[in-house]
Amino acid sequence: MRRKTRRITVGDVAVGDGAPISVQSMCNTDTRDVQATTVQIRRLFEAGCEIVRCAVPDEEAALALRGICADSPLPVIADIHFDYRLAMTSLEGGVQGLRINPGNIGERWKVQEVVRACAERSVPIRIGVNGGSLEKELLERYGHPTPEAMVESALGHIRLLEDLSFDQIKVSLKASDIRRTVEAYRQLADRVDYPLHIGITEAGTTWSGTIKSAIGLGTLLYDGIGDTLRVSLTGDPVEEVRVGWEILKALELRERGPVFVSCPTCGRCQIDLIAVAEEVERRLHDLPKKITVAVMGCVVNGPGEAREADIGIAGGKGQGLLFRHGQVVRKVPQAELADALVAEAWELVHQKGKG
Ligand code: SF4
């Protein structure tokens, strides 16, 4: 059961209150370089990104957001630290979300200015608590950036917005280790009903970061916690989007494109199954409909899995049986297995399109 939360919208993307969990990423281009940033946003969009964030380190970056937002097919969130003027310029440029911690803005009138500008434009604010940058006072009191300290930090920022009657709020509580992150989110989820943006921050490279994110986000999502997510990877942000989707697909929370089932191979396998599986996954990556594709090495478990899938193969000696909706279609020589599966997959997509 998903946790019940309030609904906010980021541009035209609904967040919370049962809306689909959306996949976010963050540009790693220089925001001042409008051309490079818009090209990256297009690539992220094509990979399935639904909300994108851009860092706003200075006034020039804030001014560049006007051109970026005008071109972006996705709602753009401005990521701002401390300087309320950068928030104001970003809002004037058309951003559809702000990531800023009100407690770090300074005098109350500055917070008021930002809140008023957000309210006028129906722009939500994400409070982003990060274990690495907790308030000094909390660190002194708790000794470390504990989950309790992170939650207290978030509640403090929330209170500042609520005092100004602003409730278009989303919250994240990221730490670079899974246990603290999960614990902090669980505690906050018991205290407030604002939508939560989840992620394991500074998770690592594509390989290790994917594992950490899958465990951390998977645990939270399995608990019903999480309304938007970002997989943070040291790499191409397009990979973040792909991994995010795979996590949601694995938990059957969203559908997008093919679902692959393939066996690890063993001594019974008599075809080059790994090559076939990799080729099929690569070639069907952009399939626009959900189709389950099974690539199995032999007749022990193969036919069973292949029958359950929309399409599949079960390997034999130098050849494979091609299945479609549980029925054997024909025998296919090994060299043609990938082509046959890809062709079957597209035929199914076209049929589903007509149906
Ligand atoms: Fe081995 Fe066959 Fe199972 Fe693949 S499906 S792991 S080849 S027993």
Side-chain angles (χ1 to χ4, degrees):
M1 262 270 282
R2 283 185 61 195
R3 168 178 162 262
K4 182 96 183 95
T5 66
R6 301 184 195 205
R7 167 71 57 91
I8 62 167
T9 56
V10 184
D12 56 3
V13 178
V15 172
D17 190 26
I21 298 163
S22 46
V23 176
Q24 292 196 20
S25 187
M26 183 165 182
C27 286
N28 61 6
T29 51
D30 183 337
T31 308
R32 292 168 296 191
D33 186 342
V34 174
Q35 168 75 7
T37 304
T38 54
V39 166
Q40 188 169 67
I41 290 177
R42 293 252 158 217
R43 288 181 59 232
L44 291 168
F45 171 67
E46 278 157 23
C49 185
E50 295 168 308
I51 299 171
V52 69
R53 184 156 51 107
C54 293
V56 186
D58 59 22
E59 187 68 14
E60 200 184 332
L63 288 168
L65 283 171
R66 184 178 293 279
I68 292 167
C69 292
D71 186 80
S72 175
L74 302 171
V76 176
I77 295 180
D79 187 288
I80 290 156
H81 291 273
F82 310 117
D83 190 341
Y84 90 104
R85 286 166 304 180
L86 299 180
M88 301 304 284
T89 307
S90 302
L91 288 166
E92 282 156 21
V95 297
Q96 284 151 319
L98 278 190
R99 187 259 173 158
I100 192 165
N101 290 348
N104 302 346
I105 295 177
E107 293 99 315
R108 186 179 159 86
W109 66 266
K110 293 179 181 170
V111 183
Q112 263 172 330
E113 286 283 294
V114 173
V115 164
R116 190 179 314 124
C118 283
E120 272 169 22
R121 296 168 170 85
S122 301
V123 166
I125 293 178
R126 168 154 74 88
I127 293 165
V129 172
N130 193 310
S133 56
L134 275 191
E135 293 89 330
K136 223 170 123 227
E137 183 265 317
L138 286 174
L139 276 180
E140 276 165 14
R141 190 139 48 86
Y142 286 92
H144 300 281
T146 59
E148 290 74 16
M150 289 166 66
V151 168
E152 191 168 332
S153 172
L155 292 174
H157 293 298
I158 290 170
R159 216 168 300 120
L160 284 175
L161 295 181
E162 286 179 340
D163 284 350
L164 296 167
S165 306
F166 187 84
D167 64 358
Q168 296 300 291
I169 299 171
K170 190 167 56 149
V171 188
S172 66
L173 288 170
K174 297 183 185 177
S176 56
D177 66 273
I178 296 169
R179 283 174 182 272
R180 240 176 344 135
T181 306
V182 168
E183 188 50 38
Y185 275 108
R186 282 178 173 162
Q187 289 184 17
L188 188 68
D190 284 341
R191 306 279 294 271
V192 299
D193 63 355
Y194 293 114
L196 299 179
H197 170 71
I198 59 174
I200 306 293
T201 194
E202 298 124 22
T205 59
T206 302
W207 192 78
S208 57
T210 295
I211 296 168
K212 268 182 164 178
S213 296
I215 297 170
L217 301 190
T219 305
L220 288 168
L221 291 167
Y222 204 76
D223 280 357
I225 295 173
D227 300 283
T228 60
L229 65 81
R230 179 192 177 198
V231 173
S232 299
L233 298 176
T234 309
D236 184 344
V238 166
E239 292 300 322
E240 300 186 349
V241 176
R242 291 192 181 133
V243 174
W245 272 103
E246 285 306 314
I247 292 170
L248 291 175
K249 278 163 63 178
L251 289 166
E252 297 179 17
L253 290 164
R254 298 281 306 267
E255 286 183 3
R256 181 183 165 89
V259 173
F260 291 102
V261 177
S262 60
C263 85
T265 79
C266 71
R268 293 185 194 90
C269 185
Q270 297 184 73
I271 57 171
D272 185 2
L273 189 86
I274 296 173
V276 174
E278 283 177 350
E279 182 178 345
V280 168
E281 190 172 60
R282 179 173 49 77
R283 287 172 61 187
L284 290 181
H285 190 265
D286 295 328
L287 211 65
K289 295 241 186 285
K290 182 191 172 188
I291 286 181
T292 309
V293 183
V295 183
M296 306 297 291
C298 80
V299 291
V300 174
N301 296 323
E305 285 291 352
R307 275 204 192 94
E308 289 296 314
D310 291 312
I311 52 170
I313 55 159
K317 196 170 167 48
Q319 61 180 15
L321 285 178
L322 180 67
F323 289 85
R324 180 174 180 164
H325 292 147
Q327 305 294 321
V328 176
V329 180
R330 62 178 189 278
K331 279 186 185 161
V332 180
Q334 168 171 316
E336 296 164 26
L337 279 171
D339 286 346
L341 264 184
V342 169
E344 284 290 327
W346 277 104
E347 206 178 312
L348 266 190
V349 166
H350 291 137
Q351 275 181 10
K352 282 195 176 184
K354 283 179 204 151

